[in-house]
Amino acid sequence: MSVRTRFAPSPTGYLHIGGARTALFNYLYARHHGGTFVLRIEDTDRERSTPESIQAILDSLKWLDLDWDEGPFFQSERFGVHREHAERLLATGRAYRCHCTAAELEARRQAAQAAGQRAAYDRTCRDRNDAPAGVPFTVRFKAPLVGETVVKDLVRGAVTFQNAELDDIILLRSDGTPTYNFCVVVDDATMAISHIIRGEDHLTNTPKQIQIYQALGAPLPEFAHVPLIHGLDRARLSKRHGATSVMAYKDLGYLPEALNNYLVRLGWSHGDQEIFSRRELIELFDLDSVGKAAGIFNPEKLDWVNFQHLKQRKPAELAALVRPLIEARGWSAGDSGWLEKVVATLQERSHTLVELVDSAAFFFVERVAIDPEAAAKQLAKAAPEVFDELRAELAAVEPWTHDAIHAGFQAVMQKRSLGLGKLAQPVRVALTGGTVSPGIFEVAELLGKDKVLARLDAALPHVGRV
């Protein structure tokens, strides 16, 4: 059997983390088995579906590099196909027209609830022979009344539903538009989808859909209902747990390969391995390693995973990614070669691209704001004459290289019998505004001679002011 998977989001908002993981699982399963990954936009909710949401979904999938093989198909463009299949079910007696009004249905629902009964459709029109002229109708599925429907789930095992507990669901509304449970079956059947991988919140829809497949005489796909994603409090992931939009994570400075790596581990595992390349994920991913327990979204773990991937990137690649972030703050990012060197000093100190840019701010601004606490701890206790001597040594350095700068520091340290920390820390505060930075000689070389001398001069009023 040729493997064909699909991702079928509803364009009623941004692509959230749970949806992205569903897309990822479908993508990886198709790629692992040499199959086809289909993208279908389920835009049947006319009031809530928007072009902006469609574009947001496409942008998110492209950023995650989840390239689809077919589509995007739009469900709203397939209504003719859906109606044709509804007519087939009517003709074979597996569906019927329901003329009950919304008011009648609501009254019966309330009566059933008052009597302590299940508020399901009472099948008034199931065996009705008359067809009132000019009265609107819906098309309902004539579900089996006895027996059971078994979902043979690739993740959860066999799940049994009693047919007596299932409704005669609406297939076509009174305006002729199809409903979700009908659309999805017709589309998956006509697109020859072989494996349906989706969240476990869809599991209760599956027996209804299986019955429609059987009524249409269509082959059943394999089903895999994957666990949901929860927050650290074990509640279903929501906005209160932090960002849930895929593109929000791009804006926060995460790498797409890191987000994919993190999401795939929310429900799937391969031994104790945590960090995966795209090639490894395609090679290793399969449904037999997807667990039943909910994945717990831990922002700190995501930071760690992103840190690992960020370290593996080439400085030139990271420089290209951070340049627009730097320029968005109104700073000049300099030439590519210099920016790559700046990035190289910070990429093993940063968890995200935004954090890298934050840490590199002192490279791009003309004047640094010196942290008062750092000034009190380091500059105030330094000797002005030592700063003067270092400035004189550095002013004479030619060419301005790491080793020559180091030699200038060494000359002052030997003359004053100082350890590197006693000199480097106050100078670090003067050059960067704080006490944490890459190596002081690297920082000085990349800042350039003029900027280093200017910052030493600007820091002098704080030196020796105990």
Side-chain angles (χ1 to χ4, degrees), residues 287-303:
L287 293 172
D288 55 5
S289 294
V290 175
K292 298 179 183 178
I296 305 301
F297 192 91
N298 185 336
E300 290 184 1
K301 181 66 175 289
L302 173 58
D303 283 351

Side-chain angles (χ1 to χ4, degrees), residues 264-283:
V264 79
R265 289 286 288 109
L266 294 178
W268 175 85
S269 63
H270 178 72
D272 295 327
Q273 186 172 347
E274 293 284 355
I275 303 302
F276 297 86
S277 66
R278 173 62 64 94
R279 179 186 58 78
E280 288 176 314
L281 287 177
I282 291 172
E283 178 183 332

Side-chain angles (χ1 to χ4, degrees), residues 310 341-350 356 359-360 363 438:
L310 198 147
K341 292 176 182 177
V342 168
V343 166
T345 68
L346 291 164
Q347 74 178 98
E348 294 200 14
R349 296 167 171 262
S350 308
L356 191 154
S359 301
F363 281 116

Side-chain angles (χ1 to χ4, degrees), residues 23 34 75 80 125 153 165 218 250 252 292 321 332 337 353 379 388 393 397 409 427 460:
Q75 204 166 57
C125 295
D153 194 85
E165 297 297 316
K250 177 187 179 185
L252 290 169
K292 298 179 183 178
L321 292 174
S332 171
L353 298 176
L379 293 178
D388 287 338
E393 286 286 345
V397 167
F409 272 75
V427 171
L460 272 175

Side-chain angles (χ1 to χ4, degrees), residues 234-256:
R234 300 304 193 268
R236 186 168 177 175
L237 193 68
S238 65
K239 290 181 179 179
R240 65 189 177 86
H241 295 106
T244 57
S245 161
V246 167
M247 297 308 279
Y249 284 92
K250 177 187 179 185
D251 295 340
L252 290 169
Y254 292 90
L255 299 174

Side-chain angles (χ1 to χ4, degrees), residues 20 24 59-66 246-247 249-251 253-264 276-278 281 302 305-306 309-310 313 318 321 353:
L24 176 63
D59 290 344
S60 297
L61 292 174
K62 289 175 183 177
W63 180 67
L64 290 170
D65 198 21
L66 302 182
V246 167
M247 297 308 279
Y249 284 92
K250 177 187 179 185
D251 295 340
Y254 292 90
L255 299 174
E257 64 268 29
L259 188 56
N260 279 329
N261 187 158
Y262 183 70
L263 290 178
V264 79
F276 297 86
S277 66
R278 173 62 64 94
L281 287 177
L302 173 58
V305 171
N306 200 69
H309 281 277
L310 198 147
R313 281 288 196 115
L318 292 179
L321 292 174
L353 298 176

